Amino acid sequence: MARDRTQIAIIGAGPSGLLLAHLLDRAGVETLVLERHSRSYVEARIRAGVLEQGTVDLLAEIGLGERMGREGLPHKGFDLAFDGGRHRIDLFGLTGGKQVMVYGQTELTKDLGDARQRSGAPIVYEAADVSIHGADGQAPFLRYVETGKSQEVRCDFIAACDGAHGVGRRSMPAGEVRTFERVYPFGWLGILAEVPPCSHELIYARHRRGFALASMRSMSRSRYYLQCAIDEKLEDWPDERIWEELKIRLGPAAAAHMKVGPSIEKSIAPLRSFVAEPMGWGRLFLAGDAAHIVPPTGAKGLNLAVSDVRILSRAFIAYFKKGDRALIDRYSKDCLARVWKAVRFSWWMTQLMHRLGEEESFEARVQQAELSYLVGSHAAAQALAENYVGLPFTET
Ligand code: APR
Ligand code: PHB
């Protein structure tokens, strides 16, 4: 296939770009994907791991559920740990039978990469210097460099699925975009280790020393996080110190079952909430992290990316198959309604679970009261559960 013209030019081969490409490919809409890094680099990045029910259902529906069904771990609840106790949030019972799936973003990205390869549709890894031209007119095009050679591709629309630091958002005129941001004064120190998890479900812990999370990738691979200072240095956290701190913050029952081992990966990530409005300009559209960032506390980042591209793919398909532009024109509005609900939930869970200052403070007392309310009130627990499994995807 000629590479100088396509219907949708997609920048970025993270989950957003690859899933959009797959949805469009299935519907017979032509795409070209341009990715700055190599395939192995993209697939090795350790990211989130919890898929909402709606994300799982969509992946199954479009033929990407096979390995996830075999290797993913369905979770019907999680624990909140605070004040020395542990309380289960029964997601399944509180939401009328919904659950989440623990399946690493790395695995999903591999499945999507395989699907792209099987389709035979074009994807250029290590595409350098991607630039966007004419997005406000009728004939947009991209320039990029492939193995040292300058290329140009004309298209009908551009989908910038290029993450938080991509070229898409930067190509919108400053006067056309409003951004909203909340930077949190702490980060997450993450560790991945080839040891069985300390509990069969996730544990979100509020502790006077800071937040901790026990998660997993499989029954033999654990993922843990600790709240840390923004300027914390990884070299100050040898594995032993991380395990000791996790045991304290997650509590004695988790500590008793915690298997420790050498880290496979360790990293520190800052936490922030960010939204760009609108999510499009002319013939350029933003999806996933390119348009919004949420702190990981609510496990929403990947799921939001999936709902964006689901909405965007529908809009493009309606345009190419029925000549109907209405959904394209409404894309930003339709997405943002959902985005802000997930931003709100992620912010709320972050404020609730992290050490914000002294333990003897107004904020800490309010957190304790809210946690006690959450586990004591069916209505409060239900509100948490319905957000965690994912708000319904309304057909628009
Ligand atoms: N040219 C080409 N590719 C680019 C460019 C560029 N100028 N800039 C960025 N990219 C690529 C990145 O290398 C990356 O592979 O775009 C991709 C964006 O992927 P992600 O950052 O994973 O973003 P997205 O696909 O929206 O996925 C959102 O990732 O960060 C997590 O929590 C987030 O789980 C959510 C998910
Ligand atoms: C993870 O397993 O990486 C994970 C799980 C739940 C979260 C955040 C991250 O809220």
Side-chain angles (χ1 to χ4, degrees), residues 47-50 188 202 204 213 215-217 223 225 296-299:
R47 293 265 180 87
V50 177
W188 275 20
L202 271 58
Y204 289 82
L213 169 60
S215 181
M216 64 193 76
R217 288 292 174 274
R223 180 74 167 156
Y225 298 95
T297 326

Side-chain angles (χ1 to χ4, degrees), residues 12 14-16 35-37 45 47 105 161-163 166 288-289 301-302:
S16 304
E35 163 60 49
R36 167 163 59 186
H37 290 293
R45 282 186 304 213
R47 293 265 180 87
Q105 184 171 322
C161 303
D162 50 356
D289 276 18
L302 175 58

Side-chain angles (χ1 to χ4, degrees), residues 155-176:
C155 55
D156 294 291
F157 298 99
I158 300 160
C161 303
D162 50 356
H165 310 287
V167 65
R169 202 177 61 245
R170 276 188 282 120
S171 301
M172 292 165 69
E176 303 282 338

Side-chain angles (χ1 to χ4, degrees), residues 5 29 32 51 79 148 209 211 213 256 309 335 364 394:
R5 159 99 207 142
V29 176
L32 169 67
L51 307 183
D79 276 3
R209 296 169 70 97
F211 169 76
L213 169 60
V309 299
C335 275
T394 43

Side-chain angles (χ1 to χ4, degrees), residues 135-136 157-160 168-169 171-173 175-178 276-287 290-291 308 312 316 325 328-333 335-336:
D136 54 341
F157 298 99
I158 300 160
R169 202 177 61 245
S171 301
M172 292 165 69
E176 303 282 338
V177 200
R178 283 185 73 183
E277 291 185 0
M279 288 171 57
W281 172 68
R283 289 179 171 252
L284 167 67
F285 297 92
L286 310 178
D308 286 356
L312 189 55
F316 285 148
R325 227 199 117 113
I328 291 188
D329 295 336
R330 278 177 34 195
Y331 167 70
S332 176
K333 189 167 161 287
C335 275
L336 284 168

